[in-house]
């Protein structure tokens, strides 16, 4: 049995084959799912974790100014 050079080449060859297979698999998934991945990346770029949709952003929006929670029983708006 030869324990010289062939004992060292086996693991390196196996590592190269595994690395090549992983790279090929990643590339195949990227190409196959490209439209879906692009949409997901755009949605992630637009996402703002500091934005609260419950808060009124501008003064021009008056849709929440006379909400039922700010109107008392007599129908007058409560002053803050």
């Amino acid at each position: 049995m030869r324990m010289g050079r062939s004992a060292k080449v086996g693991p390196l060859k196996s590592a190269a084959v595994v690395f090549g297979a992983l790279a090929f698999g990643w590339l195949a998934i990227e190409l196959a799912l490209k439209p879906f991945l692009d949409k997901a990346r755009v949605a992630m770029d637009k996402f703002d974790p500091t934005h609260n949709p419950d808060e009124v952003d501008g003064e021009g929006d008056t849709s929440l100014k006379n909400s039922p929670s700010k109107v008392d029983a007599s129908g007058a708006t409560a002053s803050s």
Side-chain angles (χ1 to χ4, degrees):
M1 222 162 87
R2 290 182 1 193
M3 293 296 293
R5 188 173 174 185
S6 65
K8 292 182 182 179
V9 174
L12 290 176
K13 190 175 183 179
S14 295
V17 168
V18 168
F19 180 74
L22 288 173
F24 179 76
W26 174 75
L27 184 62
I29 289 172
E30 282 282 328
L31 291 175
L33 302 176
K34 185 172 177 52
F36 302 110
L37 293 173
D38 286 342
K39 287 180 184 177
R41 288 180 183 132
V42 168
M44 287 173 50
D45 289 341
K46 288 182 180 179
F47 179 70
D48 182 14
T50 61
H51 176 69
N52 185 356
D54 294 333
E55 292 179 0
V56 177
D57 289 334
E59 292 293 323
D61 185 14
T62 59
S63 61
L64 295 178
K65 285 187 178 178
N66 292 327
S67 64
S69 62
K70 291 188 177 185
V71 177
D72 63 8
S74 65
T77 56
S79 60
S80 311

